[in-house]
Amino acid sequence: MAQKQGEELLRGGTSSPRATFLELFFDLVFVFALTRVSKRLIDDVTAGGPDLLRQGAQTVVLFLALWIVWSLTAWVTSRYEPERSAIQFVVVASMFGSMVMAVATPRAFAERAVPFVLAYLAVQVGRPLFLTLALRGHPRRTVTSRILLWSVVGAVPWLVGALVPSARAVLWTLALAWDYVGLALGWPLPGRGSVRASGWAVMGEHLVERYQQFFLIALGETILVIGITFSGAAFSAAHASAFALSFLITALLWWIYFHRAGHVLAEAIRAARSPGLLGESASWTHLVIVAGVLLTGVGYELVIAYPYGQTASGWPLFVMGGPALFLAARARFEYEIFGRVSRSRVVGVVLLIGLVPVVWRLPSIGALALSALVLAGIAVADAVRAHGRPLEQPATPL
């Protein structure tokens, strides 16, 4: 009977690959969470000072903590049946914990450290604990139990860091590294090997759809940044131009992502000999893609707020570096699907990085215009190359 109950939680042959309404509801929390990460980055940049790098590194830690919570939840709903009440409880509980983390993010390295950590650990420890109990005697219980063990060990530096401000940054960095090493290596245990996610039986089409939806969440966050920043600025020609350029870049990011490779990702998963391997690789790629979009959104707010201000020393990291990071990850994404990389992606990355010394001599809106010009050139090159040709079939090397 215990075996049967465990089986009921697993994805079956009749499971729909589409995301459920609850999962889309869960994603709404991360629209808010990404705005909190952006707000923290913007505050760091505008404040400037000698602590800029330290503050930026702290924001990266918080973003990666939010990402691993979302990513592992996506793997859970791709591995287990999301229509089951037990899995729905996991999603809702993860949603609440993520919301608390997002609320605490702006001051997570200060007075809100304890709420942030308790929410994070409630998800990271509570989720595998609940699944281990729910699966009972099922063989997959061994996977959730080893994830639980890794999470419990990693909880120690998280908790100590929350209680000891002077060691917080070091301990949280080590704790996050522990969590990511576990994810990357398959939570290895002495004498028992590892269980890499690439070998899991998952609903591959569902998993890749979830990562594409998170990419759209990141684009949605940039739309919020553009709208909120422009609505609070003077309706001058300069601000309006920065607003229009920011929206254009967002549209170009969408076009470049979905052109060819983005459209056939689900088909590539279906054709792959190991859907889990492609899904695991795509998860790391989408982490970098989303980070690039997030950095680009910070650049929008800086330029819309100060369109004719001199480009400050750190601003190219966002205005030029964000799109460059996106393109680099998008090139890897293309390789994952087709086993090749378009020359335009490489040229775009080189141009964006090479133009950094130039943009320091321009007003910030000039830097944004150059970024838009490079991305537009890539989009045009893609359209010309694809004109009159049938949609290319995936040929993943993974």
Side-chain angles (χ1 to χ4, degrees):
M1 188 67 182
Q3 178 79 4
K4 182 179 178 180
Q5 180 174 351
E7 289 285 353
E8 291 176 351
L9 295 180
L10 309 183
R11 283 272 192 177
T14 60
S15 295
S16 171
R18 304 306 303 270
T20 64
F21 291 121
L22 178 59
E23 290 172 279
L24 298 178
F25 183 39
F26 171 73
D27 287 348
L28 295 179
V29 169
F30 284 84
V31 177
F32 171 69
L34 291 183
T35 63
R36 297 301 86 200
V37 174
S38 292
K39 179 66 166 58
R40 184 183 169 95
L41 278 172
I42 291 165
D43 289 345
D44 294 343
V45 174
T46 53
D51 287 341
L52 178 58
L53 289 178
R54 180 177 62 85
Q55 295 285 352
Q58 291 176 357
T59 304
V60 171
V61 168
L62 301 177
F63 166 68
L64 291 176
L66 287 164
W67 169 265
I68 199 171
V69 167
W70 183 92
S71 183
L72 286 176
T73 303
W75 277 91
V76 165
T77 54
S78 294
R79 188 166 166 81
Y80 302 97
E81 178 54 64
E83 298 293 348
R84 293 290 177 184
S85 57
I87 306 304
Q88 290 177 340
F89 172 78
V90 170
V91 174
V92 172
S94 299
M95 182 179 179
F96 180 73
S98 302
M99 188 69 179
V100 174
M101 290 172 64
V103 170
T105 290
R107 303 290 297 168
F109 272 86
E111 69 273 9
R112 295 181 183 174
V114 172
F116 181 89
V117 162
L118 290 181
Y120 177 79
L121 294 179
V123 177
Q124 292 295 91
V125 176
R127 179 172 49 207
L129 174 61
F130 179 84
L131 290 173
T132 299
L133 295 175
L135 287 169
R136 296 190 180 178
H138 195 277
R140 287 194 187 178
R141 187 173 185 264
T142 60
V143 177
T144 58
S145 61
R146 71 166 62 213
I147 296 174
L148 173 61
L149 179 59
W150 266 76
S151 299
V152 169
V153 173
V156 176
W158 279 112
L159 288 170
V160 175
L163 299 174
V164 184
S166 60
R168 184 168 298 154
V170 173
L171 288 173
W172 282 10
T173 301
L174 292 174
L176 188 67
W178 172 264
D179 291 341
Y180 270 86
V181 167
L183 175 61
L185 299 183
W187 302 276
L189 295 178
R192 298 177 61 184
S194 62
V195 286
R196 290 283 299 274
S198 58
W200 291 0
V202 296
M203 181 67 71
E205 294 172 73
H206 173 271
L207 184 64
V208 298
E209 180 182 281
R210 295 295 291 132
Y211 281 105
Q212 289 183 323
Q213 286 165 351
F214 199 89
F215 168 70
L216 292 175
I217 290 170
L219 288 185
E221 187 274 336
T222 66
I223 293 293
L224 281 176
V225 168
I226 294 168
I228 292 173
T229 306
F230 185 52
S231 66
F235 274 40
S236 66
H239 290 97
S241 298
F243 166 78
L245 284 170
S246 298
F247 182 84
L248 173 62
I249 291 174
T250 299
L252 289 169
L253 294 178
W254 168 84
W255 165 271
I256 293 170
Y257 173 87
F258 280 104
H259 179 75
R260 298 294 191 181
H263 276 297
V264 299
L265 178 56
E267 186 177 344
I269 283 284
R270 285 195 298 270
R273 289 190 299 272
S274 177
L277 179 61
L278 181 54
E280 182 186 27
S281 180
S283 69
W284 296 108
T285 301
H286 280 77
L287 167 60
V288 183
I289 286 175
V290 168
V293 173
L294 196 63
L295 291 175
T296 304
V298 173
Y300 295 159
E301 179 157 351
L302 295 171
V303 177
I304 293 174
Y306 309 100
Y308 282 143
Q310 188 69 28
T311 302
S313 59
W315 290 18
L317 171 65
F318 306 101
V319 181
M320 311 299 283
L325 187 63
F326 166 82
L327 285 177
R330 179 56 177 77
R332 172 182 162 84
F333 180 44
E334 186 176 9
Y335 176 78
E336 289 170 335
I337 304 303
F338 298 121
R340 58 161 174 80
V341 175
S342 297
R343 187 180 304 169
S344 61
R345 307 287 187 270
V346 179
V347 172
V349 172
V350 171
L351 281 175
L352 287 167
I353 296 175
L355 287 170
V356 169
V358 176
V359 302
W360 274 324
R361 303 172 183 273
L362 298 175
S364 60
I365 195 171
L368 194 66
L370 284 176
S371 178
L373 184 63
V374 172
L375 292 174
I378 294 172
V380 170
D382 285 346
V384 170
R385 187 173 60 251
H387 181 68
R389 297 181 181 179
L391 190 63
E392 187 176 357
Q393 296 302 305
T396 176
L398 300 180

